[in-house]
Amino acid sequence: MHNAVVVQHPELIAALRAVLPAGALLVEPEDTQPWECDGLTLIRQRPMAVVLPDTEEQVVQVLQLCHAHGVPVVPRGAGTGLAGSAMPNAEGVLLAMARFNRVLSVDALARTATVQPGVRNLAVSDAAAPYGLYYAPDPSSQIACTIGGNVAENSGGVHCLKYGLTLHNVMRVRGWLVDGTPIEFGGLALDAPGLDLLAVMIGSEGMLAVIAEVTVRLVPKPQLARCIMASFADVGQAGDAVAALIAAGIIPAGLEMLDQAASRLVEPFANAGYDLDAAAVLLCESDGTPAEVAEEIERMCSVLRAAGATRLQVSADETERLRFWAGRKNAFPAAGRAAPAYYCTDGTIPRKHIGTMLKAIAAMELRFGLACPNVFHAGDGNLHPLVLFDDSDPDSVARAEAFGAEILEESVRLGGTITGEHGVGMEKINQMCSQFDADSLEAFRGVKRAFDPAGTLNPGKVVPSLHRCAEYGRQRVSAGRVAFPELPRF
Amino acid sequence: MDTALQSLVDQVQAAVASHTPLCIRGSGSKDFYGNLPQGQVLDVRHWQGIVDYDPSELVITARAGTPLALVETMLSEQDQMLAFEPPHFGLAATVGGCVAAGLAGPRRASAGTTQGAVRDFVLGARLLDGRARQLRFGGTVIKNVAGYDVSRLLAGSLGILGVILEASLKVLPRPRAELTLQQDCDEAAALLRCNQWGGQPLPLSATHWHNGVLSVRLAGAEAAVREASATLGGQPLPTAHAAQFWTALREQSADFFAGDLPLWRVSVPSTAVPLGFDAPQCFEWGGAQRWLRSDLPAAQLRARANQLGGHATLFRGGDRSAGVFTPVSSAVLRVHRGLKAEFDPTGIFNPGRLIQGL
Ligand SMILES: Cc1cc2nc3c(=O)[nH]c(=O)nc-3n(C[C@H](O)[C@H](O)[C@H](O)COP(=O)(O)OP(=O)(O)OC[C@H]3O[C@@H](n4cnc5c(N)ncnc54)[C@H](O)[C@@H]3O)c2cc1C
């Protein structure tokens, strides 16, 4: 998407300058340009201004001023989001919260940590480590992404199946409504009176409130973790193995899959020792006490063997376990090396359809003329197909976008969702029209109004307008397939 | 449209047209809970049935009127369970009531794995709202961040946003081994122990303290339970006895809950010191849920709960007319008003049940 013309608002800028320290207000195009996108580089927009406050008082003043002028505010953490949720608004102020980067307290006995929103995900676990505790949700971007962003996206990681998403690990969020009114969701007890607003706040993509402080739950570090690397000659069989593990009553600490193209993509990069002849590799982790892990690994191995695994390798020590994971965790950078650009989507489907989905994606590779290695959180049915394309070629870009859209449509058709953990943002806003009916979309708008009546906090994201859905409907051909390549997705 | 559903839609439409308040009701097992029920009863029991259950997907979808007991029986046949261990409070409790009340049982604060509040296991829901719209939120997959998480907002909503028509709930395998241990200790020591254990990789699945006895349920892999029992120490309860013990706690049929004194639920950080008060008390959830039998003034109990970082609810008995829940802040109330206006503009659903005047 092209940059829309930035709207100027000299009066507001002057007022912001008066409340912010030097260097905390950026307005010149060359200064705002680095902020024009998040991790989804396909969509860019320069904001009217970027503000980088470092006190809560400044944030409140920014919110009050913008509210008084009816100017949109878009909160931003580290900008690693993959859906364009933090894409700036041409008429608005980008509120960068990264300077709020302090861990305020760790209460080892209560197993909680209270942190500012700009604290990086991994920094929370680092702060908790001396107490034998950690923060469980571990997105692959955890060295960079912030807790504020995690809460806004309800981020997941490779251990969600057993340890839950951000939602299950956040107890309390303090922040402000768009007009600067302070508000608190949840609390230090396990519940709070009234509706569970915390549940709807988490995953709201910066559209309901600005986050000032988060209290997360910490969990004890397991004594031991071991990982099985299993090879399969067929992706369908690997998918069935995932279902078989669950049916056997096993909840692995991690259960990830790479197809052959993905293994071949990451191996030269990570030297993980993946079986490059296998059609699919499954990584299946057990954690707990040594006796517990031994018991579970044995059960896992027998289920995997019965499901047709051609090769099983159990990590002998921590170094080997980390090596197994290195491939999976480096899938994105490896994709970045293998092609000028890659586009990662995030559909989630019922586990039983994994094989069907992978076959559908293989057919799309031919149709769109682009390669698409697949890595995914198999235990959750959460796919991350990596469409490789050339971002200097407009035709290649258009094909990549249409490919991604088609994967999302297929996810909905298979009874799943267009996004498991990355959010809708701008990226998947059209496919919201496929997943939800008009009434449910209107109800989402109602939720937004309840928090933000003027609609100025991160406007235009996630929930498509009626008009947009009508347009999107017209652009799709009657067979239910996305018209290609004319379709502008953004 | 199914006739049972059509009838619900018709009744809601009629109530909207005539501005008649509705009291949404399953079996009525939780009539005692929340502010006084008001309005004409909207009985959802005919809208029942399991819509889908696939054990390897770890999710069950059921209509609101489906008996909770039926769901639990189906799950246990597949060695699975509702991991929030919901109290039934009656033989005919329904799925809709379970979600709307949002109450969880002893397993709520189990350690390590996913926490066990009802909302943590809600994956999707259908709602009949105050514009008679049938809305669908969430879905049936474990990870889903498309749109605002309204289905989870419905857990514990006590019906103020509309009629929960259907819920998809995440289920979990039953633990392979379970063991309950008891040891003698006073309340402060019990609180400390529970919190210390919570920070260790132990398979705790429930804790309870009452009258100088701390009871701990371990659940998980056989090896883990065996090892943990050696670490914790204490007297093992025979299996059948243990099952009865936790059921009686969950269903509040244990002696502690008998009699007419008002029952207060005090929700505080697990590390909060003992409440004090010269009144019968017990705690669960590692100290995070405390029960108290007392006719002390609400203001006094609420002030104490607030001081400890939590809130107090008049759970059962007593005078409900002054409101059983701790009032919310004005900013939070503003959002509640906004949500109520969007989902139930004429204010017909369960008026006042969760928040007085709303
Ligand atoms: C290489 C790579 C790997 C990734 N792996 C994963 C993964 O495994 N799992 C996963 O779930 N995601 C993953 N992501 C996506 C991304 O890292 C997450 O969505 C992350 O939570 C975004 O955090 P952020 O701080 O970068 O937020 P941003 O991208 O800056 O913002 C994301 C959203 O949060 C809002 N926001 C940020 N701060 C605040 C605040 N203080 N108040 C209110 N709203 C706020 C923004 O408005 C926006 O809507 C990955 C991304 C990359 C680039």
Side-chain angles (χ1 to χ4, degrees):
Chain A
M1 182 168 128
H2 297 290
N3 261 313
V5 178
V6 169
V7 175
Q8 299 301 340
H9 206 311
E11 222 181 298
L12 174 64
I13 297 295
L16 289 172
R17 187 159 283 133
V19 300
L20 290 164
L25 174 68
L26 312 175
V27 286
E28 298 305 327
E30 63 269 27
D31 295 331
T32 57
Q33 184 162 1
W35 302 87
E36 68 183 357
C37 65
D38 59 13
L40 180 70
T41 53
L42 283 167
I43 328 176
R44 293 165 192 269
Q45 172 62 55
R46 264 190 296 112
M48 175 176 70
V50 178
V51 296
L52 298 125
D54 51 23
T55 69
E56 292 197 1
E57 198 181 7
Q58 291 164 13
V59 179
V60 173
Q61 283 172 319
V62 167
L63 289 172
Q64 286 172 342
L65 285 170
C66 290
H67 185 69
H69 288 87
V71 164
V73 174
V74 177
R76 174 178 164 120
T80 69
L82 292 172
S85 317
M87 183 194 80
N89 187 297
E91 301 169 24
V93 168
L94 187 71
L95 173 58
M97 294 297 286
R99 290 187 177 174
F100 291 88
N101 59 1
R102 281 186 307 128
V103 173
L104 299 172
S105 63
V106 175
D107 185 335
L109 190 60
R111 289 145 282 138
T112 59
T114 298
V115 304
Q116 291 186 319
V119 169
R120 291 170 304 109
N121 173 294
L122 194 59
V124 182
S125 288
D126 287 345
Y131 310 100
L133 302 169
Y134 74 111
Y135 176 60
D138 58 342
S140 308
S141 51
Q142 70 183 149
I143 51 167
C145 65
T146 67
I147 290 294
N150 291 176
V151 169
E153 302 289 9
N154 190 14
S155 300
V158 297
H159 294 103
C160 295
L161 183 59
K162 184 165 175 184
Y163 294 99
L165 306 158
T166 301
L167 172 95
H168 302 103
N169 291 280
V170 166
M171 305 181 64
R172 169 184 162 270
V173 169
R174 180 173 68 75
W176 306 277
L177 295 172
V178 67
D179 60 0
T181 304
I183 190 163
E184 190 163 317
F185 308 104
L188 299 178
L190 288 180
D191 41 51
L195 293 168
D196 191 350
L197 299 183
L198 181 63
V200 79
M201 173 64 204
I202 296 174
S204 63
E205 305 196 23
M207 296 175 71
L208 302 184
V210 176
I211 301 162
E213 195 177 291
V214 181
T215 301
V216 301
R217 200 167 72 89
L218 303 172
V219 291
K221 258 214 193 85
Q223 274 171 278
L224 178 71
R226 293 182 78 190
C227 184
I228 305 169
M229 184 162 76
S231 305
F232 287 86
D234 175 76
V235 289
Q237 255 183 345
D240 294 344
V242 170
L245 282 164
I246 307 283
I250 301 170
I251 303 289
L255 185 54
E256 298 283 311
M257 195 197 274
L258 294 90
D259 69 4
Q260 191 175 46
S263 300
R264 290 186 174 174
L265 185 74
V266 300
E267 189 56 29
F269 193 77
N271 298 311
Y274 291 160
D275 179 352
L276 302 183
D277 297 324
V281 170
L282 268 190
L283 297 175
C284 178
E285 184 153 292
S286 169
D287 66 11
T289 64
E292 194 179 2
V293 170
E295 183 183 317
E296 195 169 64
I297 288 279
E298 200 179 300
R299 293 180 61 217
M300 287 168 164
C301 284
S302 73
V303 173
L304 291 168
R305 226 173 270 124
T310 53
R311 204 178 115 186
L312 290 180
Q313 197 181 337
V314 182
S315 63
D317 53 29
E318 191 59 7
T319 318
E320 190 167 51
R321 184 182 77 88
L322 294 176
R323 187 161 59 76
F324 285 2
W325 281 110
R328 168 64 186 88
K329 292 216 168 182
N330 281 300
F332 291 12
R337 238 176 43 153
Y342 69 93
Y343 176 36
C344 168
T345 55
D346 182 41
T348 301
I349 53 171
R351 281 176 284 258
K352 62 184 167 212
H353 295 314
I354 288 175
T356 314
M357 185 62 161
L358 289 178
K359 282 175 191 130
I361 292 176
M364 291 178 213
E365 288 185 290
L366 297 178
R367 191 142 44 82
F368 293 105
L370 295 172
C372 178
N374 287 285
V375 295
F376 49 98
H377 308 301
D380 311 320
N382 184 194
L383 311 149
H384 289 327
L386 300 166
V387 177
L388 306 181
F389 69 104
D390 180 355
D391 56 353
S392 66
D393 169 11
D395 176 60
S396 179
V397 172
R399 279 182 288 139
E401 289 174 354
F403 195 150
E406 176 103 12
I407 294 173
L408 300 184
E409 293 290 347
E410 185 68 14
S411 303
V412 174
R413 265 196 294 278
L414 292 173
T417 175
I418 57 174
T419 176
E421 58 180 13
H422 294 168
V424 174
M426 286 308 291
E427 183 211 8
K428 308 176 188 84
I429 193 163
N430 282 339
Q431 288 74 36
M432 285 291 282
C433 311
S434 306
Q435 187 166 336
F436 294 98
D437 60 23
D439 282 344
S440 302
L441 291 173
E442 177 51 25
F444 286 143
R445 286 181 210 112
V447 172
K448 169 81 172 144
R449 282 189 294 266
F451 284 80
D452 173 17
T456 50
L457 189 59
N458 206 4
K461 311 274 173 69
V462 180
V463 188
S465 64
L466 277 177
H467 176 73
R468 182 185 274 272
C469 286
E471 272 294 292
Y472 183 60
R474 264 197 293 283
Q475 283 161 354
R476 299 177 64 210
V477 294
S478 53
R481 172 174 300 175
V482 179
F484 171 78
E486 304 81 12
L487 175 70
R489 284 194 51 235
F490 303 117
Chain B
M1 207 190 300
D2 180 287
T3 51
L5 179 58
Q6 185 68 59
S7 151
L8 291 175
V9 174
D10 291 346
Q11 290 176 74
V12 166
Q13 272 168 344
V16 170
S18 61
H19 289 259
T20 308
L22 292 177
C23 169
I24 308 168
R25 199 164 184 267
S27 74
S29 63
K30 292 163 191 81
D31 280 353
F32 72 87
Y33 179 64
N35 295 325
L36 272 174
Q38 291 173 37
Q40 186 179 309
V41 170
L42 180 76
D43 187 342
V44 299
R45 276 177 301 180
H46 295 295
W47 179 240
Q48 62 162 286
I50 307 287
V51 178
D52 195 19
Y53 173 43
D54 186 342
S56 74
E57 297 296 330
L58 294 179
V59 55
I60 190 163
T61 301
R63 291 184 182 142
T66 314
L68 194 53
L70 177 77
V71 168
E72 291 188 333
T73 306
M74 281 188 76
L75 294 177
S76 76
E77 281 165 5
Q78 302 295 326
D79 249 336
Q80 295 188 335
M81 62 177 185
L82 294 174
F84 48 93
E85 209 175 0
H88 292 221
F89 295 141
L91 292 175
T94 62
V95 170
C98 163
V99 173
L103 299 172
R107 205 181 296 272
R108 164 68 178 90
S110 57
T113 51
T114 304
Q115 286 257 331
V118 180
R119 65 94 120 141
D120 292 322
F121 293 91
V122 171
L123 299 179
R126 278 173 70 193
L127 181 76
L128 175 61
D129 81 349
R131 301 174 205 260
R133 301 180 296 192
Q134 291 176 47
L135 309 171
R136 246 176 217 282
F137 302 107
T140 59
V141 287
I142 290 174
K143 276 164 118 178
N144 186 352
V145 293
Y148 304 121
D149 210 341
V150 180
S151 53
R152 290 193 159 103
L153 181 67
L154 298 175
S157 65
L158 283 179
I160 69 163
L161 299 179
V163 187
I164 297 168
L165 291 176
E166 182 183 300
S168 295
L169 302 172
K170 181 183 169 186
V171 302
L172 283 180
R174 283 167 107 52
R176 289 164 67 82
E178 231 173 47
L179 178 70
T180 297
L181 297 166
Q182 290 190 319
Q183 50 189 271
D184 294 335
C185 64
D186 66 21
E187 187 181 10
L191 286 169
L192 184 62
R193 273 179 216 183
C194 287
N195 281 289
Q196 285 172 338
W197 290 335
Q200 296 165 27
L202 294 166
L204 298 180
S205 91
T207 49
H208 171 69
W209 175 90
H210 179 50
N211 255 347
V213 179
L214 175 60
S215 306
V216 180
R217 185 176 64 189
L218 299 167
E222 270 152 42
V225 170
R226 202 172 43 239
E227 285 174 333
S229 75
T231 312
L232 299 189
Q235 247 343 88
L237 274 190
T239 311
H241 186 170
Q244 273 168 15
F245 174 85
W246 295 107
T247 305
L249 176 64
R250 185 190 75 200
E251 296 302 330
Q252 300 189 342
S253 57
D255 289 347
F256 174 85
F257 299 97
D260 291 334
L261 266 183
L263 172 67
W264 284 86
R265 171 180 184 271
V266 183
S267 174
V268 285
S270 59
T271 47
V273 296
L275 299 179
F277 301 120
D278 182 16
Q281 290 178 53
C282 68
F283 77 71
E284 292 184 74
W285 300 1
Q289 174 166 263
R290 312 214 181 157
W291 298 103
L292 183 117
R293 305 299 306 269
S294 169
D295 49 15
L296 282 169
Q300 197 178 339
L301 291 165
R302 295 231 159 90
R304 179 66 176 149
N306 183 46
Q307 180 193 30
L308 295 173
H311 59 102
T313 302
L314 176 56
F315 195 83
R316 211 190 262 274
D319 175 14
R320 292 202 259 175
S321 63
V324 304
F325 299 111
T326 299
V328 298
S329 74
S330 64
V332 166
L333 185 61
R334 189 172 116 191
V335 176
H336 277 71
R337 288 220 169 88
L339 289 168
K340 183 76 173 169
E342 293 290 345
F343 284 95
D344 181 18
T346 44
I348 56 164
F349 292 122
N350 287 5
R353 187 86 188 260
L354 182 67
I355 291 194
Q356 289 193 310
L358 202 71

